[in-house]
Amino acid sequence: MEQLEAKVGARLSIYTGMLEYGHKDRMSTCHFYHAYPNGRLKLLDWEYEYAVALYSMEREEQYLYTYAYQENECWALFRKDSEVSRYQQEEFLFEEEGYFRVNVRRKDGKELDQSEAGHINQILSYCPGDQIPEESPKEVKEWLKEEIQDTVEKIRKGTEEGAEAFLLLTDSHYTVNGTWEDTISAIRKVIGQSNLSGIIHLGDLTDGMVSRQVTQDYVCKVKQDLMSFQLPFYLVMGNHDTNYFANNPDRFSKEEQYWLYQSDCCEGVIREGHALYYYRDMPSLATRVIFLHSFDEVQEMRYGFSEEEVLWFKKVLEELPSGYRVLVFSHVPPLPEIHFWNKNIRNGLCMVEILEGFLEKREGSVFGWVHGHNHADQVYLGRKFPIISLGCTKLEDFKDKKPEGAITPDRRPGTISQELWNVLLLQKDSNCLRFIRFGAGEDIKVEK
């Protein structure tokens, strides 16, 4: 039996399958549950009745090719033939694979309380049935295999030449019926055949538009997949990770973000208290890697860096060991000219000038600054060090709303262009940043 979770006061629209609030006589499952043929819903308490909303495996393409976020973070298509208004007590049998959610109400029509949602699994049970496909971690889709082998060979060549390799991805935006399972299966195969030194995610693990509990579950899903490789894992906070997007009131405080996203990973890093910025020294590369926090939704100027972080950044640079270089990661770019959404980056120019001033004192000491957020590739050389934007791991292909000079690769589901992530190669005796591209786009080599 699969455990269900329900929320009192919510029901599913008969027209859209979306959650609607303010209905004290209903409770609904907020998660989408995977349905398989011969799976069954069974009522256990006859004081209640339920209605089922069905969603097909078909994806709504507007979320791939336009700037749009599905408000319930699900790309499965709502089936208009769902009888969401038909409440029943008899057993429900699923005939095909897809997703479902359910509405529940009392037979007597009385209002529900939270304790009833707390024992939803004593009211209703879901048994997936006996037709769940067997999944093997050794099997990947055919169209991924050639790219996997090509990536493995490039990593091997780089590491044989003395480089260290890091899986690097950004803006995964996990969603139901998305492409994360394909992504992680390819990553699993590459890591299994390569010698990687760590994993870096530059933020926006989810869209941040649903309830705290659902977002937590999605975040934990992505993190657990990446942490299963037992490699050092470094996580940068993205703007969607605050769970604020589209005016979502169910947002996380900074302290809550620390505990959810960073408290159980980012081992061996140096930070002040529970600050969401930190650094890690990598002696084998003679490099200090700095991970910055670049968004605060409670500030009038949301994008950028706090005064405390600016002072910390300057201090961390000043204390850099002799012979070490610096590599900076953030989610949001530091300069407005390479950021479409807002032409004010709080303390962004200050951070760039601090790094440039440090570079003037210690020539050759800065690899560069790497960020996500723009959902596009760009190497910006307008400052004294390179600033590199990387395309998004999420399957997304729209060309507008990008900074001038940025490139958005074409993406198509079910082809290798569906995927987009990188393996970063760093070498102790080289100032070169090499990005091996998996999927859409090209390898990137930056040396300045």
Side-chain angles (χ1 to χ4, degrees):
M1 299 297 178
E2 183 167 343
Q3 294 296 297
L4 303 175
E5 294 181 12
K7 183 179 181 66
V8 169
R11 74 176 184 186
L12 298 164
S13 166
I14 63 175
Y15 303 107
T16 65
M18 300 298 168
L19 289 168
E20 299 176 337
Y21 297 97
H23 303 279
K24 296 180 181 180
D25 62 335
R26 313 291 172 90
M27 60 181 170
S28 172
T29 55
C30 298
H31 287 80
F32 293 83
Y33 297 95
H34 208 145
Y36 299 94
N38 289 338
R40 287 172 166 81
L41 281 167
K42 184 177 181 179
L43 193 67
L44 303 177
D45 189 330
W46 297 101
E47 293 185 10
Y48 300 87
E49 55 187 4
Y50 69 99
V52 184
L54 299 174
Y55 309 80
S56 74
M57 300 296 289
E58 183 181 355
R59 294 192 183 110
E60 297 191 58
E61 291 197 348
Q62 65 169 315
Y63 302 117
L64 281 61
Y65 301 119
T66 64
Y67 178 67
Y69 288 91
Q70 210 281 343
E71 62 185 88
N72 287 172
E73 296 185 22
C74 179
W75 283 359
L77 194 64
F78 176 60
R79 286 176 49 178
K80 304 277 185 180
D81 60 348
S82 296
E83 297 184 78
V84 186
S85 60
R86 189 178 80 83
Y87 283 80
Q88 62 187 62
Q89 291 188 312
E90 62 266 25
E91 185 176 81
F92 184 92
L93 177 68
F94 293 96
E95 298 178 350
E96 59 186 65
E97 186 179 1
Y99 296 90
F100 74 91
R101 295 196 287 188
V102 293
N103 284 330
V104 178
R105 69 184 182 187
R106 292 186 61 89
K107 187 75 172 169
D108 60 15
K110 292 181 179 179
E111 291 185 0
L112 298 166
D113 60 49
Q114 195 56 43
S115 66
E116 290 171 287
H119 65 267
I120 181 67
N121 292 287
Q122 283 74 56
I123 297 173
L124 188 67
S125 71
Y126 169 54
C127 179
D130 57 2
Q131 294 193 29
I132 300 177
E134 293 185 7
E135 297 180 357
S136 170
K138 296 181 181 179
E139 296 178 1
V140 295
K141 292 180 178 175
E142 194 64 34
W143 49 267
L144 287 167
K145 292 181 178 178
E146 183 178 347
E147 187 80 350
I148 289 170
Q149 193 56 43
D150 182 61
T151 302
V152 168
E153 290 174 2
K154 289 179 180 179
I155 295 171
R156 285 177 178 170
K157 182 179 179 181
T159 54
E160 286 171 0
E161 293 172 352
E164 291 192 33
F166 297 82
L167 173 67
L168 177 57
L169 60 165
T170 185
D171 297 272
S172 49
H173 290 273
Y174 178 85
T175 190
V176 174
N177 204 36
T179 57
W180 176 252
E181 295 305 329
D182 290 337
T183 299
I184 200 64
S185 70
I187 288 173
R188 184 179 295 114
K189 204 70 174 177
V190 168
I191 289 180
Q193 301 177 64
S194 308
N195 182 21
L196 267 62
S197 297
I199 298 173
I200 300 167
H201 194 301
L202 297 183
D204 281 0
L205 275 68
T206 78
D207 292 345
M209 299 173 64
V210 292
S211 70
R212 296 161 64 90
Q213 183 58 58
V214 176
T215 293
Q216 287 172 13
D217 291 344
Y218 292 169
V219 168
C220 289
K221 159 66 177 169
V222 175
K223 285 179 58 182
Q224 287 170 4
D225 283 342
L226 294 172
M227 293 173 68
S228 68
F229 303 113
Q230 298 184 326
L231 292 168
F233 177 42
Y234 309 100
L235 183 58
V236 174
M237 301 304 304
N239 56 305
H240 287 252
D241 294 325
T242 65
N243 215 42
Y244 93 106
F245 200 70
N247 296 316
N248 184 2
D250 214 3
R251 58 192 61 176
F252 302 124
S253 67
K254 290 187 182 66
E255 185 70 9
E256 289 169 328
Q257 290 174 58
Y258 167 78
W259 287 109
L260 175 58
Y261 291 94
Q262 295 185 356
S263 63
D264 58 350
C265 58
C266 310
E267 293 183 2
V269 306
I270 307 299
R271 71 169 87 226
E272 295 183 350
H274 292 168
L276 297 172
Y277 46 87
Y278 55 90
Y279 74 87
R280 172 72 188 269
D281 283 341
M282 298 185 178
S284 61
L285 292 168
T287 298
R288 175 164 289 181
V289 186
I290 302 176
F291 302 90
L292 298 175
H293 181 227
S294 54
F295 183 82
D296 188 345
E297 85 285 355
V298 304
Q299 298 293 326
E300 181 178 354
M301 197 180 297
R302 298 173 296 169
Y303 299 103
F305 312 89
S306 68
E307 297 291 343
E308 294 80 7
E309 187 172 7
V310 171
L311 294 174
W312 173 88
F313 185 59
K314 186 174 182 180
K315 179 173 177 285
V316 165
L317 292 174
E318 290 172 348
E319 295 174 349
L320 188 72
S322 177
Y324 268 51
R325 288 170 298 177
V326 171
L327 175 59
V328 179
F329 290 105
S330 68
H331 180 72
V332 176
L335 297 172
E337 55 264 40
I338 47 176
H339 183 244
F340 174 85
W341 297 105
N342 195 302
K343 294 310 175 186
N344 292 298
I345 305 291
R346 181 165 45 103
N347 290 321
L349 179 59
C350 178
M351 295 286 274
V352 168
E353 290 177 342
I354 288 172
L355 195 55
E356 286 182 328
F358 174 76
L359 183 57
E360 289 176 357
K361 296 176 183 177
R362 293 175 59 166
E363 185 178 354
S365 61
V366 178
F367 270 118
W369 186 313
V370 184
H371 67 88
H373 185 62
N374 288 346
H375 294 205
D377 293 326
Q378 185 173 19
V379 178
Y380 180 75
L381 299 175
R383 307 299 300 197
K384 295 179 181 178
F385 56 85
I387 304 175
I388 302 106
S389 171
L390 298 175
C392 61
T393 297
K394 172 188 179 183
L395 171 57
E396 182 180 88
D397 178 1
F398 64 89
K399 314 298 184 185
D400 61 337
K401 299 177 176 60
K402 309 290 183 182
E404 183 178 352
I407 298 171
T408 306
D410 294 335
R411 311 283 294 274
R412 292 295 180 271
T415 72
I416 196 58
S417 69
Q418 170 187 294
E419 301 299 308
L420 195 164
W421 43 272
N422 301 272
V423 174
L424 170 63
L425 295 178
L426 293 176
Q427 202 157 340
K428 185 174 182 179
D429 56 355
S430 171
N431 282 324
C432 181
L433 289 173
R434 288 181 287 169
F435 301 86
I436 300 170
R437 174 60 53 86
F438 188 99
E442 304 293 334
D443 294 350
I444 300 171
K445 183 176 181 180
V446 182
E447 187 170 13
K448 185 177 180 181

